[in-house]
Amino acid sequence: MALRLGDILIEKRLITAQELELALKEQERTNEVLGRVLLKMGLIKEAALLQAIAEQQGIAFLELRDLEIHDKAIRSVPVKFIWHYNILPLSIAGNILTIAVSNPFDVWPIDDLETNLGFHVEKALATSSDIAEAIKKYYGVGADTIERILTQSPSGGRPEEKASGDKVEDLERMAEDASVVRLVNQIVQRAINDRATDIHIERFSDELLLRSRIDGILYDTPVSQNVKHLYSAIISRVKVMASLDIIERRLPQDGRAKVKIGNLDYDLRISIMPTLYGENIVIRILPTTMLFSVADLGMSKKELETLEDLLKRPNGIIFVTGPTGSGKTTTLYASLSRLNTRERKIVTIEDPIEYELRGISQVQVNPRIGLTFAAVLRSLLRHDPDIMMVGEVRDFETAEITIQTALTGHLVFSTLHTNDAASGITRLIDMGVEPFLISSSVEAFIAQRLVRLICPKCKEEANDQKEEIIRQMEADMADLSGKDHPKEFRIYKGRGCRSCNNTGYVGRTGIYEALLVTEEIKKLILTKAYSDVIKKKALQLGMKTLRQNGWEKVLAGVTTFEEVVRVTQAEE
């Protein structure tokens, strides 16, 4: 005779006899199945319970993350069944459809599928969270909402046709439709859960493409192909969220919105751009509160000591250089947070203000009304600041005023768009800044990039690449260890797993190149020496290049060889 579920759980030591007795008393009161009672009481985990039930019933318990499901099975069951019952089709063999369910005692999904689709249905067990994740993977984010909108639409399943004219009332009604609101919320929430920094919604001739930028790389977000029919609805909803003109389609528009996901608030910076086939949207996702610390920048002990020494300077300019998305703003914010005390007045001029920093006065520039970096700089000097941050030096006027500010006793932080630290000097000279002003005002140029971190859950050795990696490293770094060439070390990579979306990476850290403006460097600046000459001298004085700093992180098992090469290609 088959063992009862309670006996199996006790035998496997998943619960005690006393816990079973308590659960049976609760079952008498609620008249629910024992498994659900145990889960509600927190006496057992869902996966352990389902494994025991699978053993009792003689069916399979599956880890869906390890399965690849064929398109034929996915296409066999309409989305409305999938989301309504929280089930997942696994395979089709002849007339037999196998599905994954999390509630083994619910007969309605099987009856409904057999009645409406004509299959003979067999079941396997999987956790509800695994099923929900697999549904998003194979059917796409918001698939149930898309299906509901298209089914209920009076325009033959293509709501976008309603917005083909300039009827404001239609656009407004579409943007406030509960299902459309839910769909856009699902898109944003999925991106936040995936740690995305940006959402890209792009319109092409025959599709609507949804992508998310995660750890600096754009990835496709699974979404139903039918989402293209909701293009106008999505555009209208995003415009309403950002208080933009919903009928303006010819000009770029920028706005912002706030959303709450769980217990956290997020700022959304929304940019809409007209393209050949319609408007494209980019949504930047920013937490409203962030804790910035120089200790979290990924610097080595020696690099942190150098930065701390720079932050103690009473005046001068510290430039952080690098392309867009290289983490310059985070480094500046961390530096300002380190200096932020009640005894200091700190003011920033930014475009845009990415994060709110408590205790720091932040000014948003607006060139359309003449509120430029240079204009704000002139006014801010009358506000008696001790420390200033200028978001970016992009022209002679801003550079000149920034330098004068430093020369009059202020510590100033700013950014430049250059590939390496030495190029920051030639960039300022190209703007028209006199070399003697650079040498007398700038304390350091710090170039940086962001490299992805190896996923800790699927980290494994990649020593088959070791010899090739060492040969290429030696071209950039004659002494990898600081003394002798290391004889024994290991190279790592990420295999790819569920935690990292099979990328092998989770999170990012910085690699740095700090060029200190010493007396030797000042002499070269005054002679307008080329950047490669300045860089060579800085290397002789102990500076490490971005590549060299990257190699150190490879040898430390933090990142991969390929990642360092990817982000430092422009340095070659």
Side-chain angles (χ1 to χ4, degrees):
M1 185 175 70
L3 288 175
R4 293 179 300 176
L5 177 61
D7 296 330
I8 294 175
L9 296 177
I10 291 175
E11 185 180 294
K12 290 181 172 292
R13 297 184 179 181
L14 296 172
I15 61 173
T16 64
Q18 291 80 5
E19 288 172 335
L20 176 60
E21 185 177 346
L22 289 173
L24 290 172
K25 288 181 180 179
E26 180 67 12
Q27 183 186 28
E28 287 180 8
R29 189 183 70 82
T30 62
N31 202 32
E32 292 181 304
V33 296
L34 178 61
R36 186 168 296 277
V37 172
L38 289 166
L39 288 174
K40 283 186 175 180
M41 294 178 69
L43 298 175
I44 194 170
K45 298 292 186 182
E46 184 185 21
L49 174 65
L50 291 179
Q51 283 177 321
I53 293 174
E55 180 179 318
Q56 180 197 41
Q57 296 188 359
I59 58 178
F61 173 80
L62 301 174
E63 295 276 356
L64 296 183
R65 72 189 73 177
D66 300 325
L67 294 181
E68 281 298 325
I69 301 170
H70 198 276
D71 284 345
K72 183 180 178 182
I74 297 298
R75 292 194 304 267
S76 67
V77 182
V79 174
K80 61 182 180 181
F81 290 103
I82 300 300
W83 286 94
H84 182 69
Y85 291 118
N86 194 39
I87 61 174
L88 185 76
L90 299 174
S91 63
I92 294 180
N95 194 44
I96 299 174
L97 170 68
T98 303
I99 63 172
V101 300
S102 60
N103 183 355
F105 306 107
D106 188 358
V107 298
W108 289 107
I110 294 174
D111 290 346
D112 210 352
L113 291 174
E114 290 184 339
T115 300
N116 288 280
L117 302 182
F119 289 112
H120 173 67
V121 179
E122 295 183 351
K123 64 185 178 185
L125 300 185
T127 63
S128 55
S129 59
D130 271 10
I131 291 175
E133 281 300 312
I135 290 172
K136 290 178 183 178
K137 175 181 178 181
Y138 291 104
Y139 287 90
V141 60
D144 58 329
T145 306
I146 293 169
E147 183 78 14
R148 188 179 302 116
I149 296 172
L150 294 178
T151 302
Q152 296 173 356
S153 171
S155 59
R158 284 177 165 75
E160 65 166 319
E161 296 171 1
K162 292 174 62 179
S164 58
D166 286 334
K167 295 183 179 180
V168 179
E169 63 274 13
D170 284 350
L171 292 170
E172 289 177 340
R173 185 162 58 249
M174 184 187 303
E176 298 297 344
D177 181 270
S179 295
V180 175
V181 171
R182 183 167 183 257
L183 174 60
V184 174
N185 289 347
Q186 287 174 325
I187 291 171
V188 174
Q189 184 163 7
R190 170 64 184 267
I192 289 172
N193 291 343
D194 288 344
R195 302 180 298 104
T197 55
D198 302 86
I199 303 169
H200 292 245
I201 304 173
E202 300 162 299
R203 181 70 158 123
F204 296 99
S205 60
D206 58 350
E207 66 176 337
L208 190 66
L209 188 61
L210 183 63
R211 297 192 287 173
S212 296
R213 189 176 295 279
I214 303 170
D215 294 334
I217 306 294
L218 274 175
Y219 296 97
D220 285 339
T221 300
V223 67
S224 166
Q225 291 184 352
N226 288 328
V227 74
K228 64 185 178 184
H229 302 308
L230 301 175
Y231 162 70
S232 293
I234 293 170
I235 290 282
S236 298
R237 175 58 194 163
V238 172
K239 286 182 177 179
V240 167
M241 289 172 63
S243 301
L244 301 177
D245 186 348
I246 61 175
I247 63 171
E248 177 56 71
R249 303 174 193 165
R250 302 162 300 171
L251 298 173
Q253 296 190 69
D254 294 298
R256 59 191 299 176
K258 282 195 174 183
V259 296
K260 189 178 184 71
I261 303 294
N263 296 322
L264 297 176
D265 293 321
Y266 294 86
D267 259 334
L268 304 183
R269 305 296 168 82
I270 295 165
S271 179
I272 298 179
M273 177 71 67
T275 65
L276 179 61
Y277 293 106
E279 293 170 291
N280 285 358
I281 305 172
V282 175
I283 303 174
R284 169 66 60 89
I285 303 170
L286 300 169
T288 54
T289 56
M290 285 279 285
L291 297 176
F292 294 95
S293 169
V294 293
D296 296 330
L297 295 176
M299 292 182 174
S300 66
K301 183 179 178 181
K302 184 177 180 181
E303 289 163 344
L304 275 175
E305 289 173 354
T306 299
L307 179 60
E308 290 282 1
D309 180 64
L310 289 171
L311 297 182
K312 292 175 183 176
R313 306 285 172 93
N315 53 58
I317 306 174
I318 299 171
F319 278 109
V320 181
T321 78
T324 301
S326 59
K328 300 187 299 296
T329 301
T330 299
T331 298
L332 292 178
Y333 279 3
S335 299
L336 293 179
S337 296
R338 177 72 176 81
L339 297 169
N340 188 16
T341 64
R342 302 293 287 179
E343 295 78 29
R344 295 189 179 102
K345 168 84 174 212
I346 303 178
V347 182
T348 72
I349 311 168
E350 304 174 63
D351 183 22
I353 297 172
E354 293 197 18
Y355 300 99
E356 295 179 18
L357 298 174
R358 186 175 181 180
I360 294 177
S361 300
Q362 296 173 268
V363 180
Q364 168 77 55
V365 303
N366 188 348
R368 287 179 294 183
I369 61 172
L371 194 65
T372 61
F373 280 108
V376 177
L377 260 172
R378 292 191 189 92
S379 297
L380 284 187
L381 288 175
R382 293 191 287 272
H383 281 253
D384 189 30
D386 297 297
I387 298 168
M388 298 179 67
M389 184 187 95
V390 182
E392 182 185 351
V393 169
R394 60 182 69 168
D395 55 48
F396 171 72
E397 186 180 18
T398 305
E400 184 181 43
I401 301 173
T402 301
I403 287 172
Q404 292 300 331
T405 300
L407 292 174
T408 53
H410 300 84
L411 183 61
V412 183
F413 297 85
S414 191
T415 69
L416 287 168
H417 281 275
T418 61
N419 288 329
D420 61 9
S423 297
I425 297 168
T426 52
R427 177 80 179 99
L428 291 173
I429 293 174
D430 289 343
M431 287 182 189
V433 180
E434 291 293 338
F436 76 90
L437 290 175
I438 300 173
S439 63
S440 57
S441 63
V442 181
E443 297 293 330
F445 293 87
I446 302 174
Q448 73 174 78
R449 298 290 190 278
L450 294 176
V451 292
R452 292 180 291 172
L453 297 170
I454 299 172
C455 174
K457 293 190 177 179
C458 62
K459 185 176 181 179
E460 64 182 19
E461 289 190 34
N463 289 322
D464 56 313
Q465 307 173 17
K466 185 185 292 187
E467 293 304 319
E468 176 190 352
I469 289 172
I470 289 301
R471 282 196 299 270
Q472 295 198 45
M473 282 183 174
E474 286 177 336
D476 298 303
M477 195 172 190
D479 187 358
L480 294 173
S481 68
K483 293 181 180 179
D484 299 316
H485 181 82
K487 305 299 182 185
E488 292 296 330
F489 61 91
R490 294 172 179 171
I491 303 294
Y492 293 92
K493 66 179 181 180
R495 182 180 64 256
C497 65
R498 183 181 182 182
S499 296
C500 61
N501 287 327
N502 292 312
T503 63
Y505 300 97
V506 172
R508 290 189 290 177
T509 191
I511 57 174
Y512 301 91
E513 175 182 293
L515 191 159
L516 303 180
V517 182
T518 60
E519 291 302 320
E520 294 91 335
I521 299 298
K522 286 180 180 180
K523 291 176 183 178
L524 292 175
I525 293 174
L526 292 173
T527 62
K528 294 187 177 182
Y530 291 119
S531 61
D532 56 342
V533 175
I534 296 173
K535 184 173 184 176
K536 184 176 181 180
K537 171 56 73 173
L539 289 171
Q540 292 173 358
L541 296 172
M543 183 186 82
K544 291 179 181 176
T545 66
L546 288 166
R547 274 264 175 111
Q548 290 170 344
N549 191 227
W551 298 148
E552 290 179 344
K553 284 184 166 56
V554 171
L555 295 178
V558 171
T559 189
T560 65
F561 171 81
E562 292 83 3
E563 185 67 4
V564 172
V565 171
R566 180 182 70 84
V567 302
T568 60
Q569 284 178 340
E571 191 198 357
E572 292 181 321

